[in-house]
Amino acid sequence: MPFRGRSALRRIAMRGTAMAMGAAMAVITGLAAAPAVHASPSATGVLRWAPCDDPEKPGAECATLSVPVDWARSDGPGLDLAVARRKATDPGARVGSMVFGPGGPGDSGVEMVVGRISRFSPEVRRRFDIVSFDPRGVGGSNPVTCSGGLLAERPSPELKSQADFDATMAYNKRLRADCRARTGPVFDHLDTARTVRDLDALRAALGERKLTFHGSSYGTLLGAQYAETYPRRVRAMVLESVMDHSVPTTRDFLQAEAATAQDSFQEFVKWCDGAADCALHGRDVRAVWQGLLARAGRGELADPAKPGTSLSSSDLVNKIAFKKFYEADYAGLATAIAGMDASKPLPASPTSTAPLHPATPVFCSDWHLPVRDYQEYASLVAMMNMTAPDLPYLLPIHMAAACLGAPTANPQHRLDAHGAPPILVSNALHDPATGYPWAVSVARQLRRSGVLLTYEGHGHGSVTSGPCMEDAVDGYLTDLAVPPRGTSCPAARPHGQRERGGAGTAAARGDGRVRGSGSVGDQSSMLGVGVGVRPAWTSLSRLVPCSTAALVVSSSAPSSPPLVIVMASSPTRTTATSRVSVTGSPFEVPFTVTVRPCRASPSLGSEVSTTWTVRSPLSPPVRVNWSQVSGSFPSQSIDLSSVAFW
């Protein structure tokens, strides 16, 4: 697949340098003319602020910023970006403007500033003008417009044959042509690389020499690519609930998304088993859920939001469960499931799936997710069902189906933001949409610039999840106080969920080390990435049978060097035990390694087996086994996330 790195992005940025999925879709009916566009040789750089048209939510100011549709063409058409701000509540302590990058794709930054300003901490609101915008193709910025009738004809992603696959490809082609005609020239320039140029024009129009930025979810892709394109124009940047745009293949992307969603379901079941106030406490939660999926598949499950209307199994997963996972509202999800389980079945009938957000073409322009044919598509669905058996037809497979045949202007690539200042990468351990391993990966790609801040809780979004997170982010944004590498914050109690200490309550001490207590679950082992979550240690071993064993312990904190311990093993001793205290940035890890003797099997000739036991006073032992028929022992990753260290 085509990959494009920083050099290509910067070439795009250098051209014309003189030029300054979540929400329900509103159905568009009738044939609308393509919106008028105006000639704009450059970004005007002028923001004329006026009160926004919302008397019920006063205090916000709105403006438009004119930018080119195609930044490579100085004489081409332009578009007006909708922008909004709320001024710092303490002008005397004002640092400057902070730009928020909305998620989605398809979320409105203007709506966030006008109607949801409490999303930002009081300290950030006090010290910064909060500014955001509707990205091109969204909201008030020349939104993607398509035929409502054609959108309603979207094929189900539950393809059954090559004919279904071909029909989906043909439908996608017709829809793209229709949307292009109604939207205008911006339709072919929706990718994030273009929005990076818009963001830099906004920075200049605000009079900021360097950008202070907070991107959430899909907005992290915008922030990361801005840092890659303009690394020396960044003052401070928070990437919250992080998209990893280096994921190379369709299978890798879908598997990661399925795994992190299933992790949230497992956390929900675990919570319900232990919470007396769970509406399903004492019941087999999985069995109840599977019963609802079966009823939805037959068209017998009533939609709680539309009485008398059946709810599809896909909408049960994506509109009911996934929404609650986003909010970490486990109590609300349990109540909803119990209510649906007790509801009277509807007569069996065909179901339809909710339409996708109209900004789906933005996603397609950023993600190259090719699928050759129905056979490959079916294998991807089977893989997702195996990875997330409780959550069939998650939204990512809908997006992949909707993007079949679409061109990708801004395909995946590894980040290269050399020269950028420290960038704060924040993620919850149990985020249902952007898994923790993605945040670890992005922090590593940022190298010295990447500073990972871990929230040991649940939900999508983390920067205001409790005082530990809020203080760390506020201090970084306002005073450029970078949290110590490896900082981890305990889970707050979100929306009716009782976070249990045994499920992971660690806090960064003043020296930046992490206190661990209990286990953090199996997120990293499900994804197969071998990344310890807390305290983020992974060990890698190469053993030469019956001679010397070398244990290499490395931290997932990007700047921590690996630590090597060499121990002797002997076939003549029953057990060779070595207690080792390892001290290194950022953690101190006392543990015991037990090496058992190798043994030969007459039937297999040269087979040897070895077991190591890693112990900690606060955790059960973790045993790691090797078996090799011939040759030397291979390197093998061991996830130590279930071992508690202090």
Side-chain angles (χ1 to χ4, degrees):
M1 77 175 261
F3 275 71
R4 179 167 59 188
R6 180 177 66 173
S7 59
L9 288 174
R10 289 188 176 172
R11 283 197 298 273
I12 292 173
M14 289 300 293
R15 294 172 188 159
T17 52
M19 298 184 294
M21 283 177 243
M25 182 196 69
V27 176
I28 304 159
T29 59
L31 180 62
V37 294
H38 60 276
S40 177
S42 65
T44 65
V46 177
L47 291 168
R48 295 182 174 87
W49 298 105
C52 299
D53 296 329
D54 193 340
E56 294 183 1
K57 298 172 182 176
E61 298 177 307
C62 289
T64 58
L65 177 67
S66 295
V67 297
V69 167
D70 184 354
W71 279 94
R73 290 184 55 197
S74 61
D75 59 345
L79 69 128
D80 288 337
L81 296 177
V83 184
R85 78 172 175 185
R86 284 184 182 268
K87 290 184 178 180
T89 59
D90 185 352
R94 180 181 179 274
V95 175
S97 296
M98 186 193 77
V99 179
F100 176 74
D107 289 356
S108 167
V110 169
E111 193 279 330
M112 178 69 71
V113 172
V114 173
R116 296 163 57 197
I117 194 64
S118 61
R119 191 244 193 267
F120 306 99
S121 75
E123 180 66 6
V124 168
R125 299 199 303 270
R126 185 176 78 89
R127 303 289 301 276
F128 289 97
D129 294 349
I130 307 295
V131 180
S132 193
F133 66 107
D134 290 351
R136 51 177 59 208
V138 173
S141 300
N142 198 156
V144 173
T145 306
C146 310
S147 162
L150 189 55
L151 287 168
E153 297 174 15
R154 180 172 78 97
S156 167
E158 300 182 32
L159 309 184
K160 305 297 183 183
S161 65
Q162 183 63 40
D164 286 349
F165 184 89
D166 294 341
T168 298
M169 291 280 284
Y171 169 81
N172 289 351
K173 185 176 181 179
R174 283 192 295 127
L175 183 63
R176 286 195 300 273
D178 176 86
C179 298
R180 182 181 290 108
R182 296 168 185 269
T183 304
V186 75
F187 185 82
D188 293 315
H189 301 277
L190 296 172
D191 60 280
T192 296
R194 265 79 167 192
T195 307
V196 163
R197 298 297 307 276
D198 299 342
L199 177 58
D200 194 57
L202 178 58
R203 173 200 60 78
L206 292 168
E208 298 289 347
R209 188 174 66 87
K210 292 191 174 184
L211 177 71
T212 300
F213 180 84
H214 171 192
S216 180
S217 193
Y218 208 80
T220 64
L221 181 55
L222 173 60
Q225 289 200 221
Y226 184 93
E228 184 174 43
T229 310
Y230 303 111
R232 302 189 188 280
R233 297 183 190 177
V234 176
R235 174 190 170 272
M237 180 173 288
V238 173
L239 305 179
E240 173 195 24
S241 294
V242 187
M243 298 286 295
D244 181 5
H245 200 230
S246 74
V247 177
T249 68
T250 308
R251 183 171 294 272
D252 291 337
F253 176 80
L254 294 176
Q255 185 171 33
E257 289 284 68
T260 196
Q262 180 67 20
D263 171 70
S264 286
F265 187 88
Q266 291 175 179
E267 288 295 303
F268 163 64
V269 172
K270 184 194 304 181
W271 170 82
C272 199
D273 286 345
D277 57 345
C278 172
L280 300 171
H281 184 67
R283 302 179 64 184
D284 186 334
V285 176
R286 274 197 168 85
V288 174
W289 176 252
Q290 289 293 335
L292 292 182
L293 285 172
R295 285 174 58 185
R298 296 189 298 268
E300 298 174 355
L301 183 64
D303 187 339
K306 299 178 181 178
T309 304
S310 59
L311 183 73
S312 70
S313 55
S314 176
D315 286 350
L316 173 63
V317 167
N318 294 298
K319 291 176 62 179
I320 304 294
F322 211 68
K323 181 180 179 181
K324 296 297 186 183
F325 293 154
Y326 258 57
E327 302 165 354
D329 186 5
Y330 289 177
L333 177 57
T335 300
I337 291 174
M340 288 186 289
D341 181 58
S343 67
K344 182 179 179 181
L346 296 176
S349 62
T351 60
S352 59
T353 302
L356 293 176
H357 197 283
T360 297
V362 177
F363 178 87
C364 298
S365 68
D366 284 329
W367 290 88
H368 182 64
L369 302 174
V371 183
R372 289 188 307 273
D373 52 23
Y374 168 71
Q375 184 176 2
E376 183 181 12
Y377 185 88
S379 74
L380 293 171
V381 171
M383 175 273 296
M384 291 189 74
N385 289 340
M386 182 176 296
T387 307
D390 296 298
L391 302 168
Y393 285 97
L394 285 158
L395 182 60
I397 193 67
H398 292 244
M399 302 296 282
C403 293
L404 290 174
T408 306
N410 180 41
Q412 302 96 293
H413 62 275
R414 291 187 63 81
L415 278 173
D416 181 3
H418 178 72
I423 293 173
L424 198 60
V425 180
S426 168
N427 222 89
L429 287 181
H430 301 288
D431 190 309
T434 56
Y436 185 78
W438 277 5
V440 173
S441 173
V442 169
R444 285 175 170 169
Q445 291 171 59
L446 289 169
R447 300 187 181 183
R448 292 184 178 181
S449 299
V451 180
L452 182 63
L453 175 62
T454 301
Y455 172 58
E456 296 191 339
H458 305 72
H460 192 55
S462 58
V463 299
T464 55
S465 297
C468 174
M469 291 294 295
E470 194 166 301
D471 291 349
V473 174
D474 287 355
Y476 166 74
L477 286 172
T478 58
D479 301 321
L480 302 181
V482 181
R485 294 185 184 273
T487 295
S488 182
C489 288
R493 181 182 296 180
H495 303 295
Q497 179 189 351
R498 292 182 177 175
E499 296 279 6
R500 295 172 294 168
T505 55
R509 296 201 296 246
D511 58 4
R513 292 182 294 171
V514 172
R515 283 195 307 273
S517 141
S519 133
V520 296
D522 56 358
Q523 168 91 348
S524 56
S525 60
M526 283 194 307
L527 289 178
V529 294
V531 177
V533 174
R534 192 194 68 251
W537 284 101
T538 299
S539 66
L540 185 69
S541 169
R542 182 177 296 276
L543 180 67
V544 179
C546 302
S547 55
T548 301
L551 175 67
V552 181
V553 182
S554 60
S555 168
S556 66
S559 65
S560 298
L563 307 165
V564 182
I565 310 130
V566 179
M567 295 164 291
S569 64
S570 166
T572 61
R573 297 183 60 182
T574 304
T575 303
T577 302
S578 174
R579 181 169 179 81
V580 185
S581 290
V582 182
T583 303
S585 174
F587 305 114
E588 182 174 328
V589 186
F591 60 89
T592 299
V593 177
T594 300
V595 182
R596 300 188 185 281
C598 57
R599 53 185 186 273
S601 168
S603 62
L604 294 177
S606 59
E607 182 192 35
V608 289
S609 299
T610 299
T611 300
W612 283 15
T613 304
V614 181
R615 299 181 186 276
S616 167
L618 301 180
S619 304
V622 176
R623 292 180 176 82
V624 185
N625 302 293
W626 288 265
S627 181
Q628 184 77 5
V629 174
S630 61
S632 62
F633 277 76
S635 295
Q636 183 168 346
S637 293
I638 315 159
D639 179 14
L640 298 182
S641 62
S642 61
V643 183
F645 304 113
W646 66 88

